[in-house]
Amino acid sequence: MRKLGILLLILVMLPMTGCWSRTELNDLSIVTAAAIDKMDDGKYLLTLQIAVPTMLGPVGNSSSSGTGSGGEKPTAIVSEKGETIMDACRKLQKKLPRRLFFSHSRIIVIGEKQAREGVSPVLDFFVRYRESRLRSFILFTQGKAADILKLNAKWEKISAEEIREEEQRHIGLQIYLKDFFHMLLADGIEPVAAQVALMSTEIDSEESSSGQEMNAAISGSAVFRKDKLVGWLNDAETRGVLWLRNELKTSIVTVDIPEDKGGGKISAAAVRETTEIKPILRNGKLKIKAEIFMENTLYENNSKLDMSDPRVIQFVERELEQDIKKRIQLTLDKAQKTFNSDIFGFGTAVYRTYPKAWNRQFKDSWDDVFPELEVDIKPHAKLVRTGLTNKSMIMVEEESE
């Protein structure tokens, strides 16, 4: 009987332990984005964008005003310096009435000064802290990272969500925090991530007079050796990185038609793209063969070419291949000769194909091998659709005249 009573007491107590560590939503300061800068005194400046739930309005409301019903902003920006990131968090927590909560952080932005000195010290916090979200996007900027978070949102409720939407549309490199850690720790590949920059846009709306307004845009990429930033790539060069990493989702290629073919320009969009990286090791000499297979749709024809002619289609496909090869070669030359940074993962491909040769011959000397590595770029472009008309409007007008 006594044993039965103890068992019943235990069963009654079990449900009482379910909420012992609960934290109510109105006790949290929900961090939506973080920015890290290195100060002149050597300390870290941590800037956090914190959501103000009462100003966000109903869930799913896509109002683009960027402010609450009373004109108040839906986010608050707080900053603090510290010897470490955790030290800065502790100082920030002393100023806030609610507990900092990082599990909903969308993006992490790091300024150029900190990136050039090394990102490992600041990222160590995000690896260890249990609330850190490894699927946060990591981005870098040439200016101060804090300035990116201070912008007013125009199309979404918060500016961090606007940057996140740009990343998800594959405008540039889409690098999560976990991906950056992998590149940082793995052999045969160096880290690369998207660059976010302040850009001006023309604004003409009822709320504001015609003029310029700053917004954050994905523009180019940041190139690393180990954990230190070594340089930047522009948008065109970043496309080459996406091609060689097999991460390109969509691309517009515009080619100039020679004057002897009538002149003009043709623009085509890649609707399907696959890149195959094949290491070839013969007689101790290593070579990389990069084959790019693309299916393209013709979107604009401002030339005098008649796309109903199969020979013209073949000519355009060759022009597309030459343009793609030129773009990729430009990026490859910069990565090899200027940065000496294998951001394409060629070393990883070599390890997967020739693991013994990699460990014996290339692993310890890859920094010397990569700049001189021969890369054979072989684009294969197919024009699968030409639109509703084969002839350009220029040809139609000339025929009507």
Side-chain angles (χ1 to χ4, degrees):
M1 189 69 181
R2 183 181 177 184
K3 292 182 178 180
L4 180 62
I6 294 175
L7 180 61
L8 290 173
L9 180 62
I10 294 174
L11 292 175
V12 170
M13 292 176 64
L14 284 175
M16 300 175 63
T17 64
C19 300
W20 70 273
S21 62
R22 77 183 189 278
T23 303
E24 300 294 341
L25 182 62
N26 56 7
D27 293 330
L28 299 176
S29 292
I30 301 175
V31 178
T32 58
I36 302 168
D37 291 294
K38 192 66 173 289
M39 306 302 291
D40 293 335
D41 58 5
K43 293 184 178 181
Y44 302 110
L45 176 66
L46 176 65
T47 304
L48 301 179
Q49 184 182 78
I50 298 176
V52 182
T54 56
M55 295 294 107
L56 289 175
V59 177
N61 185 354
S62 60
S63 170
S64 61
S65 62
T67 57
S69 57
E72 298 183 41
K73 296 181 180 180
T75 58
I77 303 295
V78 294
S79 298
E80 187 56 78
K81 293 195 299 182
E83 300 290 344
T84 64
I85 300 301
M86 194 63 203
D87 183 41
C89 281
R90 179 184 61 82
K91 292 178 180 179
L92 276 174
Q93 188 63 80
K94 292 170 63 176
K95 299 179 179 180
L96 300 172
R98 302 181 179 187
R99 184 175 74 83
L100 288 171
F101 187 65
F102 283 84
S103 294
H104 290 280
S105 177
R106 305 285 193 180
I107 62 171
I108 299 171
V109 185
I110 299 178
E112 181 175 9
K113 185 175 181 179
Q114 178 60 64
R116 289 196 180 275
E117 292 189 14
V119 297
S120 293
V122 297
L123 293 183
D124 187 78
F125 166 78
F126 296 98
V127 177
R128 300 178 187 276
Y129 192 47
R130 63 185 179 87
E131 289 181 1
S132 176
R133 188 174 182 177
L134 294 181
R135 286 186 63 83
S136 297
F137 289 111
I138 184 168
L139 307 103
F140 296 86
T141 182
Q142 294 191 32
K144 291 186 63 177
D147 295 339
I148 302 295
L149 301 190
K150 294 176 182 178
L151 293 175
N152 292 327
K154 184 63 180 176
W155 310 108
E156 302 290 343
K157 286 290 186 180
I158 57 178
S159 59
E161 186 64 20
E162 289 186 343
I163 298 174
R164 178 174 171 271
E165 289 292 333
E166 286 190 55
E167 281 281 71
Q168 288 188 323
R169 288 191 291 112
H170 294 273
I171 291 177
L173 284 163
Q174 189 184 73
I175 304 297
Y176 293 111
L177 190 57
K178 63 180 182 66
D179 300 325
F180 195 87
F181 287 143
H182 169 74
M183 291 184 287
L184 194 60
L185 300 175
D187 291 327
I189 188 171
E190 297 288 358
V192 62
Q195 176 190 356
V196 59
L198 296 176
M199 293 188 175
S200 61
T201 54
E202 295 292 335
I203 300 296
D204 189 4
S205 61
E206 295 179 359
E207 291 81 7
S208 62
S209 58
S210 180
Q212 290 189 340
E213 184 173 302
M214 300 302 292
N215 71 300
I218 305 300
S219 176
S221 52
V223 178
F224 286 76
R225 282 194 67 189
K226 306 303 180 185
D227 75 328
K228 290 181 173 61
L229 174 72
V230 292
W232 306 92
L233 297 176
N234 60 31
D235 283 332
E237 294 162 344
T238 300
R239 304 308 263 183
V241 178
L242 291 169
W243 262 310
L244 289 176
R245 286 170 60 97
N246 196 25
E247 295 177 1
L248 189 69
K249 298 300 180 181
T250 182
S251 175
I252 304 297
V253 179
T254 300
V255 296
D256 294 317
I257 303 302
E259 291 297 330
D260 60 346
K261 297 286 186 179
K265 296 179 183 293
I266 284 181
S267 290
V271 293
R272 290 183 183 86
E273 190 273 341
T274 302
T275 300
E276 296 180 0
I277 303 296
K278 300 177 181 178
I280 301 172
L281 182 60
R282 291 177 182 171
N283 301 321
K285 185 177 181 181
L286 183 64
K287 175 183 176 181
I288 298 292
K289 185 177 181 181
E291 290 196 274
I292 298 95
F293 302 90
M294 300 182 66
E295 292 185 5
N296 300 273
T297 297
L298 183 68
Y299 273 107
E300 193 168 355
N301 179 13
N302 290 330
S303 69
K304 295 182 179 181
L305 297 180
D306 185 356
M307 304 307 293
S308 62
D309 188 343
R311 291 173 298 180
V312 172
I313 295 290
Q314 293 175 0
F315 168 76
V316 173
E317 289 174 345
R318 289 194 299 270
E319 291 294 310
L320 291 172
E321 290 171 354
Q322 291 177 9
D323 187 83
I324 293 167
K325 183 176 182 178
K326 188 186 301 181
R327 292 190 188 192
I328 296 175
Q329 190 64 54
L330 180 67
T331 305
L332 185 62
D333 290 342
K334 198 164 186 178
Q336 287 184 299
K337 307 304 180 184
T338 304
F339 301 137
N340 188 13
S341 177
D342 183 8
I343 53 179
F344 316 110
F346 289 158
T348 302
V350 174
Y351 168 72
R352 289 173 179 171
T353 308
Y354 305 105
K356 292 182 180 179
W358 168 261
N359 291 323
R360 182 180 63 253
Q361 184 178 353
F362 300 112
K363 180 178 179 179
D364 296 332
S365 60
W366 191 243
D367 287 344
D368 298 322
V369 173
F370 174 72
E372 305 300 327
L373 183 65
E374 180 183 352
V375 181
D376 185 15
I377 304 169
K378 294 286 187 182
H380 305 278
K382 293 294 181 184
L383 202 58
V384 294
R385 298 181 184 87
T386 59
L388 297 177
T389 178
N390 289 317
K391 295 181 179 180
S392 67
M393 299 306 297
I394 297 174
M395 292 183 64
V396 173
E397 289 181 359
E398 288 181 352
E399 290 176 359
S400 63
E401 290 176 358

